[in-house]
Amino acid sequence: MTISVSDLEAQLSQLQDEALGAIASAAALDDLEKLRVRFLGKKGEVSKILGGMGKLDGKDRPVIGKKANEVKTALTNGLDEKRTDLQKTALEAQLKAEVLDVTMPGTYATQGRAHPLNSTIDRLLDILVGLGYTVASGPEMESDYYNFESLNTPPDHPARDMQDTFYLPDGNLLRTHTSAVQIRYMENNEPPIRVVAPGRVYRRDTVDATHSAVFHQLELLAVDEGLTFGDLKGTVKTFLKEIFGDLPIRFRASYFPFTEPSAEVDVQWQGKWLEVMGCGMVDPNVMKAVGYDSEKYTGFAAGLGIERFAMVLHQMDDIRRLYGSDLRFLRQF
Ligand code: DAH
């Protein structure tokens, strides 16, 4: 069977009309792709018609080739236009469906916050870490040795009365101060030492506005060659100035078994001197307890009550508020 040029041309024209019609009525991008494959694909309808070219006279082939290219271009353009069209419609529909009304009132989500005790600890630690101190910790259940004996406080020492202790049935105790961490840290580290240890401590105190059976302390310890009381004062002053700004402070001679000399530091607040920490030069007996050469090294230490700092910083008058979990109170911070 022979095929005439005009036959093929007619077929191509007809195919073009049919294809453009289908493209025009395509409703989705998926459909367009199917049409592209159906008409322009390798095994598509255009190719099928062109398969008949072999039977054409050599001189006629360019005529059909040209016509085929025109059809392909027409279909490609048709597909492109329709695709742009459909994409635009889809985008418009999406924009319409997903309207964002920026004037709508938001939904309120309650926000958590740090407890004033924790934020006070964070603030103290920030300053001390800035001064070069490392943060350490120790157990809350302690042995008599770490809480007292190694801190130059033997069993019959009158200073034990300063801290009314919770003893446990097994002979251990709940630590009465964070000073116990000094010993644990020195046992495991060599000088030079710059360490701070915040933590919970326990005393058999009657609970009132300024006392609690459980409270928090922060211990500070520095051991090195040549440390003096001047270094202690400088450190404490720098630290307190960072926390309290220009509130006046004073050092008052005091006594602790584990420091010699010892002092207490007061801050003038609301017209009164308020004691905020104990401190002193590490007693040589404490150095000996951990095997340090007390001829070579000196050190200073300090211990402060974190609740007291929180109360001054936040103008609180009752320590019990800090443990009450009253959200009306806590939300103020
Ligand atoms: N541990 C003492 C107390 O709880 C406070 C204290 C005083 C700690 C002097 C020290 C210090 O490190 O040097 O009352």
Side-chain angles (χ1 to χ4, degrees):
M1 192 186 96
T2 54
I3 293 180
S4 71
V5 176
S6 52
D7 265 358
L8 270 184
E9 274 185 323
Q11 280 183 36
L12 282 169
S13 292
Q14 198 193 333
L15 186 64
Q16 174 172 332
D17 291 345
E18 188 194 333
L20 287 179
I23 290 168
S25 54
L29 288 166
D30 276 359
D31 300 340
L32 272 192
E33 177 58 14
K34 281 180 199 143
L35 290 173
R36 190 190 64 75
V37 173
R38 177 172 148 208
F39 291 105
L40 294 176
K42 255 192 209 154
K43 295 175 185 163
E45 312 241 356
V46 174
S47 298
K48 260 188 228 158
I49 295 178
L50 291 182
M53 262 170 73
K55 292 171 186 152
L56 278 183
D57 225 40
K59 68 173 177 16
D60 292 332
R61 283 185 198 166
V63 180
I64 291 304
K66 188 165 164 260
K67 175 73 182 169
N69 280 334
E70 284 167 11
V71 172
K72 280 185 191 165
T73 310
L75 295 193
T76 309
N77 289 343
L79 284 166
D80 285 349
E81 270 167 38
K82 184 70 183 180
R83 189 175 302 117
T84 314
D85 244 30
L86 287 175
Q87 281 169 343
K88 203 172 137 213
T89 318
L91 181 65
E92 273 164 10
Q94 189 188 3
L95 287 178
K96 218 169 161 183
E98 296 175 4
V99 204
L100 179 67
D101 181 357
V102 291
T103 65
M104 244 166 72
T107 33
Y108 178 73
T110 43
Q111 197 183 7
R113 64 201 79 195
H115 189 280
L117 259 181
N118 287 326
S119 61
T120 302
I121 293 175
D122 287 347
R123 198 157 155 197
L124 299 177
L125 290 181
D126 270 355
I127 296 168
L128 292 164
V129 167
L131 290 175
Y133 286 77
T134 307
V135 182
S137 63
E140 290 173 24
M141 183 181 89
E142 265 299 6
S143 64
D144 187 273
Y145 177 76
Y146 285 108
N147 196 79
F148 290 123
E149 189 121 18
S150 59
L151 286 163
N152 200 31
T153 320
D156 52 358
H157 197 288
R160 288 204 177 204
D161 293 347
M162 291 160 75
Q163 304 177 355
D164 222 341
T165 311
F166 283 114
Y167 286 95
L168 300 171
D170 64 0
N172 282 315
L173 49 82
L174 296 179
R175 70 178 176 193
T176 58
H177 53 187
T178 44
S179 300
V181 185
Q182 287 189 29
I183 304 296
R184 291 188 175 271
Y185 193 84
M186 285 192 283
E187 278 181 349
N188 293 305
N189 295 274
E190 287 300 313
I193 278 175
R194 303 275 187 283
V195 70
V196 287
R200 227 173 255 153
V201 300
Y202 302 81
R203 299 210 188 154
R204 291 179 46 178
D205 275 333
T206 308
V207 178
D208 64 21
T210 54
H211 292 87
S212 164
V214 186
F215 59 103
H216 298 74
Q217 282 191 335
L218 186 138
E219 195 75 15
L220 178 150
L221 173 70
V223 180
D224 208 339
E225 286 178 51
L227 287 183
T228 67
F229 200 84
D231 296 312
L232 166 60
K233 268 184 109 168
T235 303
V236 168
K237 274 186 178 172
T238 307
F239 169 68
L240 290 179
K241 195 174 164 83
E242 279 292 320
I243 288 276
F244 294 134
D246 288 326
L247 290 184
I249 64 166
R250 72 175 182 196
F251 284 73
R252 191 164 33 78
S254 184
Y255 172 79
F256 298 100
F258 31 89
T259 43
E260 178 60 35
S262 304
E264 279 172 294
V265 186
D266 301 334
V267 172
Q268 199 168 51
W269 185 60
Q270 298 187 336
K272 279 187 237 149
W273 286 107
L274 182 73
E275 183 213 318
V276 291
M277 66 167 92
C279 60
M281 300 305 290
V282 177
D283 193 289
N285 284 339
V286 174
M287 297 279 199
K288 279 178 206 143
V290 296
Y292 282 5
D293 180 351
S294 62
E295 296 293 320
K296 187 171 171 197
Y297 296 112
T298 52
F300 60 80
L304 57 88
I306 294 172
E307 276 78 355
R308 202 153 263 192
F309 278 71
M311 288 168 79
V312 172
L313 286 176
H314 297 300
Q315 323 271 334
M316 270 174 224
D317 52 2
D318 193 329
I319 198 172
R320 288 168 291 195
R321 291 222 180 272
L322 286 170
Y323 312 114
S325 302
D326 183 339
L327 289 178
R328 291 168 305 176
F329 171 75
L330 293 174
R331 282 195 179 124
Q332 296 175 60
F333 304 100

Coordinates of all heavy atoms in Angstrom, one line a residue, residues 132-177:
G132 N 36.7 31.9 86.6 CA 37.6 30.8 86.4 C 37.4 29.6 87.2 O 38.2 28.6 87.3
Y133 N 36.2 29.5 87.8 CA 35.9 28.3 88.7 C 35.2 27.2 87.9 O 34.4 27.5 87.0 CB 35.0 28.8 89.9 CG 35.8 29.5 90.9 CD1 36.2 30.9 90.7 CD2 36.3 28.9 92.1 CE1 37.0 31.5 91.6 CE2 37.1 29.6 93.0 CZ 37.4 30.9 92.8 OH 38.2 31.6 93.7
T134 N 35.4 26.0 88.3 CA 34.8 24.8 87.7 C 33.6 24.4 88.7 O 33.7 24.6 89.9 CB 35.8 23.7 87.7 OG1 36.9 24.1 87.0 CG2 35.2 22.5 87.0
V135 N 32.6 23.8 88.1 CA 31.5 23.4 89.0 C 31.6 22.0 89.3 O 31.8 21.1 88.4 CB 30.1 23.7 88.3 CG1 28.9 23.3 89.2 CG2 30.0 25.2 87.9
A136 N 31.4 21.6 90.6 CA 31.5 20.2 91.1 C 30.3 19.9 92.0 O 29.6 20.8 92.3 CB 32.8 20.0 91.8
S137 N 30.1 18.7 92.3 CA 29.0 18.3 93.2 C 29.4 17.1 94.0 O 30.4 16.4 93.7 CB 27.7 18.1 92.4 OG 27.9 16.9 91.6
G138 N 28.6 16.9 95.1 CA 28.9 15.7 95.9 C 27.6 15.2 96.4 O 26.5 15.8 96.2
P139 N 27.6 14.0 97.1 CA 26.4 13.4 97.6 C 25.7 14.2 98.7 O 26.4 14.8 99.5 CB 26.8 12.0 98.1 CG 28.3 12.2 98.5 CD 28.8 13.3 97.5
E140 N 24.4 14.0 98.8 CA 23.6 14.7 99.9 C 23.6 13.8 101.2 O 23.6 14.3 102.3 CB 22.2 15.0 99.5 CG 22.2 16.1 98.4 CD 20.8 16.3 97.8 OE1 19.8 16.0 98.4 OE2 20.8 16.8 96.7
M141 N 23.7 12.5 101.0 CA 24.0 11.6 102.1 C 25.5 11.5 102.3 O 26.2 11.1 101.4 CB 23.3 10.3 101.9 CG 23.5 9.4 103.1 SD 22.8 7.7 102.9 CE 24.2 6.9 102.2
E142 N 26.0 11.9 103.5 CA 27.4 11.9 103.7 C 27.8 11.1 104.9 O 27.0 10.7 105.7 CB 27.9 13.4 103.9 CG 28.3 14.1 102.7 CD 29.5 13.4 102.0 OE1 30.0 12.3 102.4 OE2 30.1 14.0 101.1
S143 N 29.1 10.8 104.9 CA 29.6 10.2 106.1 C 30.0 11.3 107.1 O 30.3 12.4 106.7 CB 30.8 9.3 105.8 OG 31.8 10.1 105.3
D144 N 30.1 10.9 108.3 CA 30.6 11.8 109.4 C 32.0 12.4 109.0 O 32.3 13.5 109.2 CB 30.7 11.1 110.7 CG 31.0 12.0 111.8 OD1 32.2 12.3 112.1 OD2 30.1 12.6 112.5
Y145 N 32.8 11.5 108.3 CA 34.1 11.9 108.0 C 34.1 13.1 107.0 O 34.8 14.1 107.3 CB 34.9 10.7 107.3 CG 36.3 11.1 106.9 CD1 37.3 11.2 107.8 CD2 36.5 11.4 105.5 CE1 38.6 11.6 107.4 CE2 37.8 11.8 105.1 CZ 38.8 11.9 106.1 OH 40.1 12.3 105.7
Y146 N 33.4 13.0 106.0 CA 33.4 14.1 105.0 C 32.7 15.4 105.5 O 33.1 16.5 105.2 CB 32.8 13.7 103.6 CG 33.7 12.8 102.9 CD1 33.4 11.4 102.7 CD2 34.9 13.3 102.3 CE1 34.2 10.6 102.0 CE2 35.7 12.4 101.6 CZ 35.4 11.1 101.4 OH 36.2 10.3 100.8
N147 N 31.6 15.2 106.3 CA 30.9 16.4 106.7 C 31.6 17.1 107.9 O 31.5 18.3 108.0 CB 29.5 15.9 107.1 CG 28.5 17.1 107.2 OD1 28.0 17.6 106.2 ND2 28.3 17.6 108.4
F148 N 32.3 16.3 108.7 CA 32.8 16.9 109.9 C 34.3 16.6 110.1 O 35.2 17.5 110.1 CB 32.1 16.4 111.2 CG 30.7 17.0 111.3 CD1 29.6 16.1 111.4 CD2 30.5 18.3 111.3 CE1 28.3 16.6 111.5 CE2 29.2 18.8 111.5 CZ 28.1 18.0 111.5
E149 N 34.7 15.4 110.3 CA 36.0 15.0 110.7 C 37.1 15.5 109.9 O 38.0 16.2 110.4 CB 36.1 13.4 110.8 CG 37.3 13.0 111.5 CD 37.0 12.1 112.7 OE1 35.9 11.6 112.8 OE2 37.9 12.0 113.5
S150 N 37.0 15.3 108.6 CA 38.1 15.8 107.7 C 38.1 17.3 107.6 O 39.1 17.9 107.2 CB 37.8 15.2 106.3 OG 36.6 15.6 105.8
L151 N 37.0 17.9 108.0 CA 37.0 19.4 108.0 C 37.4 19.9 109.4 O 36.8 20.9 109.9 CB 35.5 19.9 107.6 CG 35.2 19.7 106.1 CD1 33.7 19.8 105.9 CD2 35.9 20.8 105.3
N152 N 38.3 19.2 110.0 CA 38.8 19.6 111.3 C 37.8 19.8 112.4 O 37.9 20.6 113.2 CB 39.6 21.0 111.1 CG 40.6 21.3 112.2 OD1 41.1 20.3 112.8 ND2 40.8 22.5 112.5
T153 N 36.8 18.9 112.3 CA 35.7 18.9 113.3 C 35.5 17.6 113.9 O 34.6 16.8 113.5 CB 34.4 19.4 112.7 OG1 34.6 20.5 111.8 CG2 33.4 19.9 113.7
P154 N 36.4 17.1 114.9 CA 36.3 15.8 115.5 C 35.0 15.7 116.3 O 34.3 16.7 116.6 CB 37.5 15.7 116.3 CG 38.0 17.1 116.5 CD 37.5 17.9 115.3
P155 N 34.6 14.4 116.7 CA 33.3 14.1 117.3 C 32.9 15.0 118.4 O 31.8 15.4 118.6 CB 33.4 12.7 117.7 CG 34.4 12.1 116.7 CD 35.4 13.2 116.4
D156 N 33.9 15.3 119.3 CA 33.5 16.1 120.5 C 33.7 17.6 120.3 O 33.6 18.4 121.3 CB 34.3 15.6 121.7 CG 35.8 15.7 121.4 OD1 36.2 16.0 120.2 OD2 36.6 15.3 122.3
H157 N 33.9 18.0 119.1 CA 34.1 19.4 118.8 C 32.9 20.3 119.0 O 31.8 19.9 118.5 CB 34.6 19.6 117.4 CG 35.3 20.9 117.1 ND1 34.6 22.1 117.1 CD2 36.6 21.2 116.9 CE1 35.5 23.1 116.8 NE2 36.7 22.5 116.7
P158 N 33.0 21.3 119.8 CA 31.8 22.2 120.1 C 31.2 22.7 118.8 O 30.0 23.0 118.8 CB 32.3 23.3 121.0 CG 33.8 23.2 120.9 CD 34.2 21.8 120.5
A159 N 31.9 22.9 117.8 CA 31.4 23.5 116.5 C 30.3 22.6 115.9 O 29.5 23.1 115.1 CB 32.5 23.7 115.5
R160 N 30.2 21.3 116.3 CA 29.2 20.5 115.8 C 27.8 21.0 116.2 O 26.8 20.7 115.5 CB 29.4 19.1 116.3 CG 30.6 18.4 115.6 CD 30.4 16.9 115.6 NE 31.5 16.3 114.9 CZ 31.4 15.1 114.4 NH1 30.3 14.4 114.5 NH2 32.5 14.6 113.8
D161 N 27.8 21.7 117.3 CA 26.5 22.2 117.8 C 26.0 23.4 116.9 O 24.8 23.7 116.9 CB 26.6 22.8 119.2 CG 26.9 21.7 120.2 OD1 26.7 20.5 119.8 OD2 27.2 22.0 121.3
M162 N 26.9 24.0 116.1 CA 26.5 25.0 115.2 C 25.5 24.5 114.1 O 24.7 25.2 113.5 CB 27.7 25.7 114.4 CG 28.6 26.5 115.3 SD 30.2 26.7 114.6 CE 29.9 27.9 113.4
Q163 N 25.6 23.2 113.9 CA 24.8 22.6 112.8 C 24.1 21.4 113.3 O 24.7 20.3 113.5 CB 25.7 22.2 111.6 CG 26.5 23.4 111.1 CD 27.5 23.0 110.0 OE1 27.6 21.8 109.7 NE2 28.1 24.0 109.4
D164 N 22.8 21.5 113.6 CA 22.0 20.4 114.1 C 21.8 19.4 113.0 O 21.1 19.7 112.0 CB 20.7 20.9 114.7 CG 20.4 20.2 116.0 OD1 21.0 19.1 116.3 OD2 19.6 20.8 116.8
T165 N 22.3 18.2 113.2 CA 22.4 17.3 112.1 C 21.3 16.2 112.1 O 20.9 15.7 113.2 CB 23.8 16.6 112.2 OG1 24.8 17.6 112.4 CG2 24.1 15.7 111.0
F166 N 20.9 15.8 110.9 CA 20.0 14.6 110.7 C 20.9 13.4 110.6 O 21.6 13.3 109.6 CB 19.2 14.8 109.5 CG 18.0 15.7 109.5 CD1 18.0 16.9 108.8 CD2 16.9 15.4 110.3 CE1 16.9 17.7 108.8 CE2 15.8 16.2 110.3 CZ 15.8 17.4 109.6
Y167 N 20.9 12.6 111.6 CA 21.7 11.3 111.5 C 20.8 10.2 110.9 O 19.6 10.1 111.2 CB 22.3 10.9 112.8 CG 23.4 11.8 113.2 CD1 23.2 12.9 114.0 CD2 24.7 11.6 112.7 CE1 24.3 13.8 114.3 CE2 25.8 12.4 113.0 CZ 25.6 13.5 113.8 OH 26.6 14.3 114.1
L168 N 21.4 9.4 110.1 CA 20.6 8.2 109.5 C 20.9 7.0 110.4 O 22.0 6.9 111.0 CB 21.0 8.1 108.1 CG 20.8 9.3 107.2 CD1 21.4 9.1 105.8 CD2 19.3 9.6 107.1
P169 N 20.0 6.0 110.3 CA 20.2 4.8 111.2 C 21.5 4.1 110.9 O 22.1 3.5 111.8 CB 19.0 3.9 110.7 CG 18.0 4.8 110.1 CD 18.7 6.0 109.6
D170 N 22.0 4.2 109.7 CA 23.2 3.5 109.3 C 24.5 4.2 109.8 O 25.6 3.8 109.4 CB 23.3 3.1 107.9 CG 23.4 4.4 107.0 OD1 23.4 5.5 107.6 OD2 23.4 4.3 105.8
G171 N 24.3 5.3 110.5 CA 25.5 6.1 110.9 C 25.9 7.2 110.0 O 26.7 8.1 110.4
N172 N 25.4 7.2 108.8 CA 25.6 8.3 107.9 C 24.7 9.5 108.3 O 24.0 9.4 109.2 CB 25.3 7.9 106.4 CG 26.4 7.0 105.8 OD1 27.6 7.4 106.0 ND2 26.1 6.0 105.2
L173 N 24.8 10.5 107.5 CA 24.0 11.7 107.9 C 23.6 12.5 106.6 O 24.2 12.2 105.5 CB 24.8 12.6 108.8 CG 26.3 13.0 108.4 CD1 26.3 14.1 107.4 CD2 27.1 13.3 109.7
L174 N 22.7 13.4 106.7 CA 22.4 14.3 105.6 C 23.4 15.5 105.7 O 23.4 16.1 106.8 CB 20.9 14.7 105.7 CG 19.9 13.6 105.5 CD1 18.5 14.1 105.6 CD2 20.1 12.9 104.2
R175 N 24.1 15.8 104.7 CA 25.1 16.8 104.9 C 24.5 18.1 105.4 O 23.4 18.5 104.9 CB 25.9 17.0 103.5 CG 25.1 17.6 102.5 CD 25.9 17.9 101.2 NE 25.1 18.4 100.1 CZ 25.5 18.5 98.9 NH1 26.6 18.0 98.5 NH2 24.7 19.0 98.0
T176 N 25.3 18.7 106.3 CA 24.8 20.0 106.9 C 25.3 21.2 106.1 O 24.9 22.3 106.3 CB 25.2 20.1 108.3 OG1 26.6 20.0 108.4 CG2 24.6 18.9 109.2
H177 N 26.3 20.9 105.3 CA 26.9 22.0 104.5 C 27.6 21.4 103.2 O 27.9 20.2 103.2 CB 27.8 22.9 105.3 CG 28.9 22.1 106.0 ND1 29.8 22.7 106.9 CD2 29.3 20.8 105.9 CE1 30.6 21.8 107.3 NE2 30.4 20.7 106.8

